[in-house]
Amino acid sequence: MSDTAKPLHPGLWEIFTAAPHRMMFFGGVFQLVATLVFWSAELIGRYTGLWAPFATTVPATWAHAFLMLYGLFLFFIFGFLMTTYSRWLNGPLVERAHYVTSFLLLFGGLLLFYVGLFTARPIAVLGVGVFLLGWGVGIAALWRVFRLSSAMDKGYERWLNLAHVLGWLGGALYLAWLLVPRWELLQLSLNLGLWLFLVPVFITVAHRMVPFFSYCALPDYEQIQPRWSLPVIWAGLALHALLEYLGATAWTFLVDLPLAAVIFWHSVAWKIGRSFTIRLLAVLHVAIFMFGIALTLFGIRSLAVLMGGADLLGRAPLHMLAIGFLGAMVVGMATRVSLGHSGRELEMDTYNWVCFWGMIAVAVLRALSEFSVLNGVINFNVIAAVGWLGITIAWVARFGPLYLRPRVDGKPG
């Protein structure tokens, strides 16, 4: 090899590790595809007879729950927060060694979980343990930025730090359930993961960023970020989680419907109608509106149980929340960060616009699949899962390669 020649792999590694969002978003898009391939194949086996459902060491439904709640969105959360914490707080950057170590443990832990899922349960247990270790390293990295910052206002970051601690605890409870399979451990893990980690993180980031993005993009825009609303939303989410854990589904409407009203108020105050002049902004507003719809469905489901004892909507509200809010928000935020931090124009083209609305359509289709009258020859649940996988692959094909390429503007990062 000549003196001027450079080996491919060191250069690729240098590019890949140049910024935390590169590694973490790569883990996120990989996990998006892997999780949906696993679940789509499982559902096809269940409902079509093309092959037998998987024989897994952990029940497939609860493996799916872990992957969706803990193993998927966390990569995107870390990719975003490890990039923005330093800017929000005017603090030090997340150190390279910290985000690289966190990523390797998170990614490696999930690979072990997949291997153990199809071979031996102890390997899956080890995988969750390694994953939690990586999560802890990531939390410590964010805490270092938070602690060393001299910023006077750290309100948003305090909420996000709390969410990470509660989420890590939820993951630890899942590990405990794998070791001691008691239903209450799993139930508490699922409630913590959704209602006290994922949803609070996403709505807290939205509260911080959506009015700011709107202010930067829309003329004569008033940036509204009421201090009262985040504590109210967090309290409502915590109360919903408690009622769910206690089995009091019939009474969650007391929280869900007022909380939905608060979210819809934010949509109106943040000018969702005006956001449609800029697609990259509109997707964030639409995702928040879908959160309000999901909460409304939770409230209707609760009232139906209270009045008639029948759970008419089943998991429709849950999937409207998971796909319509969380999934759509990931597409919106990750698209923005991936474009901006690769040196490209902050503009959502028609390709990505279609991917986003495809995600919303999947959320609606998955909600409709709860009504058995619609599941005739073809199960709507299967269609929704395969549709989500297809849309995800299309979106990942556009952005996945960016994390392995230098910025087009030649800047570092």
Side-chain angles (χ1 to χ4, degrees), residues 98 104 134 293 359:
H98 293 168
L104 292 176
I293 291 176
M359 183 81 72

Side-chain angles (χ1 to χ4, degrees), residues 216-380:
C216 294
L218 299 175
D220 301 319
Y221 182 88
E222 182 183 0
Q223 190 171 334
I224 298 174
Q225 293 172 301
R227 288 292 182 174
W228 61 264
S229 60
L230 261 188
V232 167
I233 293 169
W234 268 74
L237 296 173
L239 185 53
H240 179 103
L242 177 61
L243 291 171
E244 288 275 5
Y245 180 73
L246 296 175
T249 304
W251 300 102
T252 65
F253 75 93
L254 294 171
V255 179
D256 301 330
L257 296 181
L259 201 52
V262 171
I263 298 302
F264 286 137
W265 178 87
H266 281 79
S267 281
V268 173
W270 290 344
K271 304 294 189 282
I272 183 174
R274 290 187 62 193
S275 74
F276 279 86
T277 59
I278 303 173
R279 290 175 174 179
L280 197 59
L281 183 61
V283 293
L284 303 179
H285 283 266
V286 171
I288 293 166
F289 191 81
M290 294 298 291
F291 181 28
I293 291 176
L295 289 169
T296 302
L297 291 178
F298 273 109
I300 294 171
R301 171 177 175 253
S302 173
L303 284 171
V305 172
L306 178 66
M307 293 187 293
D311 188 351
L312 298 178
L313 297 183
R315 294 181 177 274
L318 174 63
H319 288 94
M320 191 66 75
L321 179 67
I323 306 173
F325 173 49
L326 301 178
M329 187 64 79
V330 160
V331 170
M333 279 291 189
T335 296
R336 174 180 286 271
V337 173
S338 299
L339 290 172
H341 287 268
S342 64
R344 290 167 169 81
E345 291 293 327
L346 286 176
E347 181 178 353
M348 176 167 274
D349 60 16
T350 300
Y351 181 94
N352 290 308
W353 184 244
V354 171
C355 285
F356 173 80
W357 284 106
M359 183 81 72
I360 299 299
V362 165
V364 174
L365 187 61
R366 179 58 185 86
L368 291 174
S369 73
E370 290 297 314
F371 299 97
S372 58
V373 68
L374 298 175
N375 293 316
V377 178
I378 300 177
N379 188 283
F380 270 45

Side-chain angles (χ1 to χ4, degrees), residues 69-70 74 77-78 81 85 135 139 142 155-171 191-205 230 234 237:
L69 288 175
Y70 297 107
L74 182 61
I77 291 170
F78 270 149
L81 294 183
Y85 250 44
W135 195 345
I139 291 174
L142 291 178
Y156 285 106
E157 294 77 17
R158 287 191 176 91
W159 286 115
L160 292 168
N161 292 343
L162 174 60
H164 268 293
V165 171
L166 294 173
W168 191 94
L169 178 60
N191 276 281
L192 278 172
L194 180 63
W195 295 105
L196 291 175
F197 170 55
L198 283 182
V199 176
V201 166
F202 276 62
I203 196 60
T204 300
V205 169
L230 261 188
W234 268 74
L237 296 173

